[in-house]
Amino acid sequence: MEKLWIAVFIPLLLATGTQQANNATEVYSWASLDYDWPNASMKADYEKSGKFVVNNNIIVGIKLYHDEVYVTAPRWYSGVPSTLNRIIMKGGKPVLQPYPSWEMHEVGQCSVLQYVQSMEIDPNTGFMWIIDNGRTNILDKTPQNLCPPKLIVYDMVGKKEVRRFVFPSDVAGPTSCFLNDIVLDYVDGCVSYVYITDTLDVKLYVYDVSKNEAYFFAHPTMWTEPPGSGFAINGIAISADFSYVYYSPVDGLGLFQIPTSVLRNKNANFGQHVRRVGDRPTRGDGLTYGQHNLYNGLLDESGVQRWLVSHDAEQTGFDKVVIKTQEAVVRDDVKMQWVDTFAWDQRGNLWFTANDLKRFFNGSMDFTGAHGPNIYVWKVFVNESSYLAKAVGSPAPSQCPVDKAVNHQEVASHICLFTLLVCLFISILEPM
Ligand SMILES: *[C@@H]1O[C@H](CO)[C@@H](O)[C@H](O)[C@H]1NC(C)=O
Ligand SMILES: *[C@@H]1O[C@H](CO)[C@@H](O)[C@H](O)[C@H]1NC(C)=O
Ligand SMILES: *[C@@H]1O[C@H](CO)[C@@H](O)[C@H](O)[C@H]1NC(C)=O
Ligand SMILES: *[C@@H]1O[C@H](CO)[C@@H](O)[C@H](O)[C@H]1NC(C)=O
């Protein structure tokens, strides 16, 4: 009887092909990354010319759309062939397929993507909001500051760009910026503001979608704790009612709250309204908000933690809420080293990347696979959905600010045409 049970159960376990740890599912893992090359000679060319240096490739950002997984490969050092990718299976192995195309990843060509750390995908519109640093090799001795930073909104369904905003140099420093993470702020059923953290210039950018302009706030709560070396403001999350933004530095325990009513007003007094809501158990990288809880990755206890914000706000209201009730979601000392960025699917799962950046940065990562995988994509069922899941009311607005053209090229070509017509008209009127 026992033997029969084992005979049935063991193959069943193996057949699932995925591994469980604390109820989390290991969806993908890699010792080293590879890409979806059109052919072997292109890969060989890239390797020979230094455009692909395998040990400089790691995964950070992650988002999902219609069950497809999109990830970023940061251009911190040279040799990262494509910075924004979709995960596909090729020869039984997960590889990175440049998104939306190989052509969009040419280093030094400012019209295409240079270095994307993060993006957000709006499940309501299928628009991907991509932050591109413009700079590459930014953690190397000689960063390449070839292009200005920009925000691109890409329609994943219509396969076309719907908005492009190049940051002016007095807002985002083109030789010093590190646009790290992004959240979307809905007003009246439309994405109206975008908030972006800058980990090196230590700022919080606001992009006003209808005005097509950006500004920033800077404050000591965005610095490392204690101030000095390490990584500053990075993780950012927004509550599902779009009332509060939360952020924290990587190197520091503090979690801070700022009302969106402050961020939406470029002349607001940030320092008067920002509030420390408490400490995370350890330093951490990414943050995300579901419908009621705030999730954060732990760098020194290897796993994911959850703060029950709605629960703790029952007594105090959200404007005075402090961290009281925290719990572990998942922990794994081997396979969840440096939980980086979070994503949501539409089945109640929280997804995240773990990339062991301590070893990546100190040069002790073993890319041969002899010590197992280094980079993981995990999912864990938490029975919540993204902060964006219920952002659009009913009926949905027919047009949003992002859909309205602010296409300067179009305006310019209209002026050209108008001038041409005026000249033609004058020349017709003017007798010979
Ligand atoms: C795993 O799932 C079981 C059953 O759903 C639950 O009782 C248990 O608390 C979960 N463990 C963790 C670590 O979340
Ligand atoms: C490999 O693919 C690249 C990019 O599509 C193409 O330019 C090149 O001609 C291909 N080389 C071979 C040998 O097929
Ligand atoms: C690199 O970091 C890992 C993880 O913290 C540590 O175990 C290892 O000793 C470090 N190696 C070096 C060479 O500093
Ligand atoms: C998920 O939460 C809902 C309530 O929001 C509950 O009705 C449902 O049973 C939960 N599902 C699981 C699988 O825990």
Side-chain angles (χ1 to χ4, degrees):
M1 195 63 204
E2 228 165 284
K3 267 188 191 141
L4 180 72
W5 185 84
I6 290 170
V8 172
F9 187 70
I10 299 288
L12 207 83
L13 250 186
L14 293 174
T16 62
T18 50
Q19 294 171 40
Q20 305 277 328
N22 306 322
N23 293 347
T25 304
E26 180 188 319
V27 186
Y28 302 110
S29 65
W30 299 263
S32 64
L33 295 172
D34 203 359
Y35 291 80
D36 177 27
W37 305 96
N39 53 54
S41 61
M42 182 172 162
K43 179 175 177 179
D45 286 350
Y46 267 58
E47 283 174 331
K48 214 172 135 200
S49 65
K51 282 167 83 178
F52 181 38
V53 179
V54 65
N55 293 8
N56 287 348
N57 284 259
I58 198 98
I59 285 175
V60 285
I62 180 168
K63 289 293 172 283
L64 275 83
Y65 186 59
H66 288 172
D67 291 328
E68 300 275 5
V69 183
Y70 297 84
V71 291
T72 63
R75 278 179 168 152
W76 288 331
Y77 307 103
S78 62
V80 177
S82 165
T83 183
L84 176 63
N85 306 278
R86 189 165 67 105
I87 300 176
I88 62 160
M89 295 303 287
K90 201 173 183 182
K93 291 188 177 131
V95 299
L96 307 189
Q97 182 182 67
Y99 187 81
S101 64
W102 274 100
E103 289 69 36
M104 278 300 285
H105 295 275
E106 189 76 33
V107 173
Q109 198 185 316
C110 297
S111 60
V112 303
L113 299 173
Q114 298 301 300
Y115 153 33
V116 179
Q117 175 84 12
S118 297
M119 66 291 189
E120 180 60 285
I121 299 174
D122 186 348
N124 304 299
T125 56
F127 289 180
M128 184 189 272
W129 297 69
I130 307 164
I131 43 175
D132 177 12
N133 276 283
R135 323 198 294 131
T136 59
N137 307 358
I138 72 160
L139 300 183
D140 214 341
K141 286 175 209 85
T142 52
Q144 301 284 296
N145 305 317
L146 300 173
C147 303
K150 59 182 180 280
L151 170 73
I152 288 179
V153 185
Y154 185 76
D155 175 356
M156 301 176 78
V157 180
K159 298 193 180 355
K160 61 176 195 295
E161 194 176 305
V162 293
R163 178 68 68 95
R164 171 177 296 226
F165 176 76
V166 177
F167 285 86
S169 58
D170 60 348
V171 177
T175 62
S176 54
C177 70
F178 182 177
L179 278 60
N180 196 314
D181 210 349
I182 172 172
V183 288
L184 309 179
D185 179 11
Y186 262 79
V187 179
D188 298 333
C190 292
V191 177
S192 301
Y193 299 87
V194 173
Y195 308 123
I196 300 163
T197 54
D198 188 320
T199 302
L200 286 183
D201 278 346
V202 196
K203 290 172 181 174
L204 183 54
Y205 300 109
V206 180
Y207 172 64
D208 180 328
V209 182
S210 50
K211 290 191 179 141
N212 193 37
E213 66 171 31
Y215 50 92
F216 70 87
F217 294 100
H219 192 262
T221 54
M222 301 174 189
W223 300 352
T224 61
E225 292 171 354
S229 62
F231 290 114
I233 181 171
N234 175 327
I236 185 164
I238 184 168
S239 57
D241 66 356
F242 304 101
S243 294
Y244 296 96
V245 161
Y246 296 84
Y247 64 85
S248 54
V250 175
D251 287 292
L253 301 181
L255 181 69
F256 301 91
Q257 180 207 57
I258 182 85
T260 51
S261 58
V262 172
L263 297 178
R264 291 169 189 167
N265 170 8
K266 88 172 168 187
N267 301 313
N269 186 332
F270 188 96
Q272 216 164 60
H273 299 280
V274 68
R275 221 165 49 81
R276 186 190 190 102
V277 294
D279 284 356
R280 298 167 296 166
T282 82
R283 303 176 302 145
D285 191 319
L287 301 176
T288 192
Y289 219 107
Q291 289 294 310
H292 300 291
N293 304 309
L294 190 146
Y295 295 80
N296 59 278
L298 302 178
L299 297 198
D300 303 310
E301 281 174 23
S302 305
V304 176
Q305 187 86 357
R306 160 169 61 203
W307 171 31
L308 311 186
V309 194
S310 291
H311 173 271
D312 282 352
E314 273 167 25
Q315 312 294 324
T316 59
F318 288 96
D319 59 337
K320 296 196 180 66
V321 69
V322 293
I323 299 181
K324 278 206 179 124
T325 319
Q326 293 191 82
E327 57 189 32
V329 178
V330 280
R331 288 279 197 278
D332 190 318
D333 286 340
V334 176
K335 296 174 158 198
M336 292 180 192
Q337 287 284 338
W338 200 301
V339 169
D340 197 304
T341 307
F342 293 100
W344 293 94
D345 65 16
Q346 288 168 304
R347 303 166 194 276
N349 294 306
L350 176 69
W351 291 62
F352 58 95
T353 52
N355 52 23
D356 206 355
L357 287 188
K358 286 180 196 168
R359 282 189 182 78
F360 182 77
F361 285 139
N362 77 12
S364 69
M365 186 169 270
D366 180 359
F367 292 93
T368 66
H371 292 90
N374 299 303
I375 308 160
Y376 295 86
V377 169
W378 289 97
K379 73 172 174 183
V380 56
F381 181 73
V382 294
N383 201 15
E384 268 202 271
S385 54
S386 159
Y387 70 96
L388 291 167
K390 294 171 186 159
V392 180
S394 174
S398 62
Q399 222 193 8
C400 281
V402 71
D403 300 316
K404 292 183 187 132
V406 283
N407 193 332
H408 300 299
Q409 259 170 336
E410 205 168 86
V411 173
S413 72
H414 285 164
I415 293 171
C416 283
L417 191 67
F418 180 72
T419 319
L420 194 74
L421 285 177
V422 169
C423 294
L424 257 174
F425 188 65
I426 292 172
S427 64
I428 289 166
L429 278 189
E430 227 153 67
M432 283 109 262

